Amino acid sequence: MILVLVKALSDVCAGTSGFLLDFSSQTSPGTDNGEALPESIPSAPGTLPHFIEEPDDAYIIKSNPIALRCKARPAMQIFFKCNGEWVHQNEHVSEETLDESSGLKVREVFINVTRQQVEDFHGPEDYWCQCVAWSHLGTSKSRKASVRIAYLRKNFEQDPQGREVPIEGMIVLHCRPPEGVPAAEVEWLKNEEPIDSEQDENIDTRADHNLIIRQARLSDSGNYTCMAANIVAKRRSLSATVVVYVNGGWSSWTEWSACNVRCGRGWQKRSRTCTNPAPLNGGAFCEGMSVQKITCTSLCPVDGSWEVWSEWSVCSPECEHLRIRECTAPPPRNGGKFCEGLSQESENCTDGLCILDKKPLHEIKPQSIENASDIALYSGLGAAVVAVAVLVIGVTLYRRSQSDYGVDVIDSSALTGGFQTFNFKTVRQGNSLLLNSAMQPDLTVSRTYSGPICLQDPLDKELMTESSLFNPLSDIKVKVQSSFMVSLGVSERAEYHGKNHSRTFPHGNNHSFSTMHPRNKMPYIQNLSSLPTRTELRTTGVFGHLGGRLVMPNTGVSLLIPHGAIPEENSWEIYMSINQGEPSLQSDGSEVLLSPEVTCGPPDMIVTTPFALTIPHCADVSSEHWNIHLKKRTQQGKWEEVMSVEDESTSCYCLLDPFACHVLLDSFGTYALTGEPITDCAVKQLKVAVFGCMSCNSLDYNLRVYCVDNTPCAFQEVVSDERHQGGQLLEEPKLLHFKGNTFSLQISVLDIPPFLWRIKPFTACQEVPFSRVWCSNRQPLHCAFSLERYTPTTTQLSCKICIRQLKGHEQILQVQTSILESERETITFFAQEDSTFPAQTGPKAFKIPYSIRQRICATFDTPNAKGKDWQMLAQKNSINRNLSYFATQSSPSAVILNLWEARHQHDGDLDSLACALEEIGRTHTKLSNISESQLDEADFNYSRQNGL
């Protein structure tokens, strides 16, 4: 090419041809001497080259080379210079054309740049290339075009984070895309659909790749994803869930109701509902009361009453005198009744001596006439007496003649077969089932029920005692034909009294009646005397010199008897029990029982090495908010403090884990953990669960929500009761952090499907006082809700149970179940079942093989001046407090390993111990031969033996 240029120039400037030939032989691009081309060459008069197309910035994708192009006019030659060096002429591809409009030569040149060339370049700036064009007048240079390798890293520098925002609040989702060349462009997806901010003025995606929603709407709830893309690849961020919730708001108060009493002092009430708006998507329930009551006083009607009679008036010419009285003692008021009776009366005032027609009466009625009248009167009386006597004798004879037949028909139903109706005489306001029991029952109103009787679920209310349920009653008469069986359940506490009637309800302790549940044919309503009364859970095992482990299944309570704690050739039957009755430990002041009362024995047994007792607790462990004590019951039944968990003691050792306390003891007895809250931030962990079952009414469904201490034994008691009653766990139990701030607990049912289910008015939300929850260890706390289907065809139930502490933690239980047993999904009661063998003896009860234990103890029991003894073993196993207790033991390392065994009973491996030994083994050559494979084999054997 240079020769062509030299030949062209030789025609114009012959005197310089020698110079150009010399230039072509020494300075052409790509020559071995590597000298640069001159910036200009001698040329004839003309114009400088003008670039029609200059090289653009380019990116190398993967391993594909890129082409840089240059086009200039007029141009006799074009070469590329990259990073200050000329590109070899063999790498150029050149094309020459003639511009017809101007008659000037147009030259186009391009080169390829490979990924290897860019990677091999190491300079202060990016790899660049530039065109240099020659014409008759001189040279021109194009712009510099940079060449970079394109890429896009996988991980986002910042993923968007999910948020929960109130309605009309602002939502800001941050997104920083992965590093890339060229820089990635960002696009937002909502539920896998692109977001167009131009069509929705409420959304802005222009600010630093962030997504801004100015005013959150319910429709803005969803999953948001940040998409980053450039010419190389596309990347997706983690999805961020946005929940727009609505806090509940109270509706307007209803009008005040009428006074509940006709007269006197009573109350009026008004109500409101949390529906303006209703809580949605986990929004807070309305604070405050849904019902208000005020006292009211109505004037009672006063019936009038007569005053005493007045004196008689003087005798009138008609031989009569009068007296009167007035209705003024008191007069009728406020609509009361007027006095009944006459307000005046009269009578003869002369005793027959009144003068008629100016003559005395004795002159008008002679004595003979008076005697005749007396005889007639006496005769009539005698005849009447005789007639009555004859009538009495006749009736008596008739009754005797009828009794000869021996017929006493009590009920015509004896002539009929099949079912017999029940005649209940219902009680009015004076019934003992009602609040006011002072009024006497009215036995004049009766109702007839046909078929078996079944009321509400007895679990929703308190069960009746046998004496109150099966004492036959005078105001309820039940007649039964043939072998028809009756089951009676009541929904309120009641007392019935009456006579014993044949063929009515049975009386005595040897009978138990129940209805059959329609789904599982299990007893549903039962007499309380037939229910088992559990006062304790108990397990036993026989242990000897080799030791072992005693476990109370599914309670979190276990007892570890170390190897050698019992002398050789001796064996003991050791028992362990959990009190499920009324706790004998009575809290003092603000003290709270945090664990079950656990008894282990026999109490006269003596051990040579401390045993490990594991007791679950429900405290959210924090030394800043709790002062936790270990207490023991004396033989006199009193409780005394053994130690505080944070204290230093040489008599016993307490290691407090988040859900259990591991205690090293040397004497058996009854132990429990108590806690004294130091601040209002002290937290008890409650386990909340919802159970459900069909009511005896086929349209009703009962929900029972339990809030119990977060200890496995407390929940096991609930599970046992529910299994006995046919209850079904509807949702995985959850933890609720209940603060000691005196605020109460609210339990409410939300999102009940309309037109399918309904709940009784004013029962959708129940509030439990703080003290009842804070000290709920005595009895499982539960609230019952009764739902009713509109039609029997409804078989699916979907709703939410909201359990929240006012100004505290909240949990939502999502109920999604079928009331048909065949379609219901079974939820396990316990996430991890304990071993079915509560007593494990000998080596199989321990994770660490005895040979390895001996080697560890022999290594660390020997004191070391540098602290590389049992203290290091304790430190590596997170035992950093009260080390003076271990110093008093004959083998501190063995006690530490026993505590490790108690803590890691349910762990799946020996990793924590292996890591500790591996780190310690670097300084102790005696441990270097304890290989990880040995521990793995021991762990496998322990897991296989115990079904882990």
Side-chain angles (χ1 to χ4, degrees), residues 270-379:
R270 63 175 183 174
S271 61
R272 58 180 179 174
T273 57
C274 189
T275 57
N276 187 32
L280 190 63
N281 295 338
F285 196 81
C286 304
E287 295 187 3
M289 302 303 296
S290 60
V291 177
Q292 280 186 346
K293 290 185 178 181
I294 59 174
T295 58
C296 56
T297 303
S298 302
L299 297 176
C300 293
V302 179
D303 295 336
S305 181
W306 293 112
E307 289 281 0
V308 297
W309 287 101
S310 65
E311 296 294 333
W312 288 103
S313 65
V314 296
C315 199
S316 67
E318 288 80 14
C319 302
E320 291 182 343
H321 60 177
L322 302 174
R323 66 176 180 177
I324 63 173
R325 58 180 177 175
E326 294 181 351
C327 189
T328 58
R333 297 192 304 270
N334 306 326
K337 296 179 180 180
F338 196 80
C339 302
E340 295 182 357
L342 300 175
S343 61
Q344 68 176 18
E345 64 179 7
S346 62
E347 65 179 16
N348 189 281
C349 55
T350 61
D351 293 332
L353 299 178
C354 185
I355 299 175
L356 183 63
D357 295 335
K358 306 302 182 179
K359 295 180 181 180
L361 290 176
H362 66 275
E363 296 180 358
I364 300 174
K365 297 181 65 178
Q367 185 67 28
S368 60
I369 298 175
E370 182 176 355
N371 293 336
S373 298
D374 291 341
I375 293 173
L377 175 63
Y378 293 140
S379 299

Side-chain angles (χ1 to χ4, degrees), residues 55-60 66-68 127 145-150 181 231:
D56 295 325
D57 295 338
Y59 298 94
I60 295 178
I66 55 97
L68 297 180
Y127 189 98
S146 62
V147 180
R148 305 174 67 183
I149 299 175
V181 174
I231 60 177

Side-chain angles (χ1 to χ4, degrees), residues 802-914:
C802 176
I803 304 101
R804 62 185 293 265
Q805 183 185 20
L806 297 179
K807 298 187 179 179
H809 190 215
E810 175 186 44
Q811 280 289 9
I812 298 292
L813 297 178
Q814 180 69 51
V815 176
Q816 184 75 38
T817 186
S818 171
I819 64 175
L820 300 179
E821 185 176 11
S822 59
E823 300 178 2
R824 186 186 303 119
E825 179 182 357
T826 301
I827 300 176
T828 57
F829 289 120
F830 295 97
Q832 178 180 355
E833 296 283 343
D834 284 334
S835 173
T836 56
F837 305 99
Q840 302 168 333
T841 59
K844 66 180 181 180
F846 302 95
K847 285 193 169 186
I848 307 174
Y850 183 66
S851 59
I852 296 180
R853 286 175 62 94
Q854 285 183 315
R855 210 176 308 171
I856 294 175
C857 294
T859 301
F860 289 105
D861 284 344
T862 304
N864 188 293
K866 297 182 180 181
K868 298 179 180 179
D869 49 17
W870 60 266
Q871 299 184 45
M872 175 182 289
L873 180 64
Q875 179 184 1
K876 297 302 181 182
N877 286 279
S878 303
I879 301 175
N880 303 313
R881 184 187 54 79
N882 195 16
L883 297 182
S884 59
Y885 171 81
F886 300 97
T888 61
Q889 305 297 321
S890 59
S891 176
S893 302
V895 178
I896 293 173
L897 294 180
N898 294 336
L899 189 59
W900 185 93
E901 290 273 6
R903 293 182 73 183
H904 298 274
Q905 173 185 349
H906 293 293
D907 288 356
D909 50 44
L910 295 169
D911 285 347
S912 60
L913 181 63

Side-chain angles (χ1 to χ4, degrees), residues 583 592-596 616-619 673 684-688 706-718 734-736 738 772-781:
V592 180
L593 184 61
L594 298 177
S595 74
H617 66 82
C618 61
L673 289 176
K684 277 185 65 176
Q685 294 180 341
L686 303 180
K687 179 169 289 188
V688 295
Y706 290 85
C707 298
V708 297
D709 292 346
N710 183 34
T711 57
C713 52
F715 186 61
Q716 188 191 41
E717 182 178 357
V718 172
K734 295 185 178 181
L735 284 185
L736 180 73
F738 191 81
R772 178 72 178 87
V773 183
W774 193 247
C775 303
S776 64
N777 50 281
R778 287 178 170 82
Q779 292 293 337
L781 172 65

Side-chain angles (χ1 to χ4, degrees), residues 253-274:
W253 289 101
T254 60
E255 297 294 332
W256 288 104
S257 65
C259 199
N260 69 317
V261 294
R262 181 170 175 264
C263 67
R265 186 180 181 84
W267 50 264
Q268 294 174 279
K269 71 176 182 179
R270 63 175 183 174
S271 61
R272 58 180 179 174
T273 57
C274 189

Side-chain angles (χ1 to χ4, degrees), residues 106 211 226 237 254 299-300 359 361 507 516 550 563 740 803 923:
V106 177
L211 175 66
C226 183
S237 70
T254 60
L299 297 176
C300 293
K359 295 180 181 180
L361 290 176
H507 183 67
M516 301 301 291
L550 191 61
H563 182 279
I803 304 101
T923 57

Side-chain angles (χ1 to χ4, degrees), residues 514-525:
S514 65
T515 61
M516 301 301 291
H517 195 283
R519 293 169 298 165
N520 52 18
K521 305 294 189 267
M522 292 294 291
Y524 186 66
I525 297 178

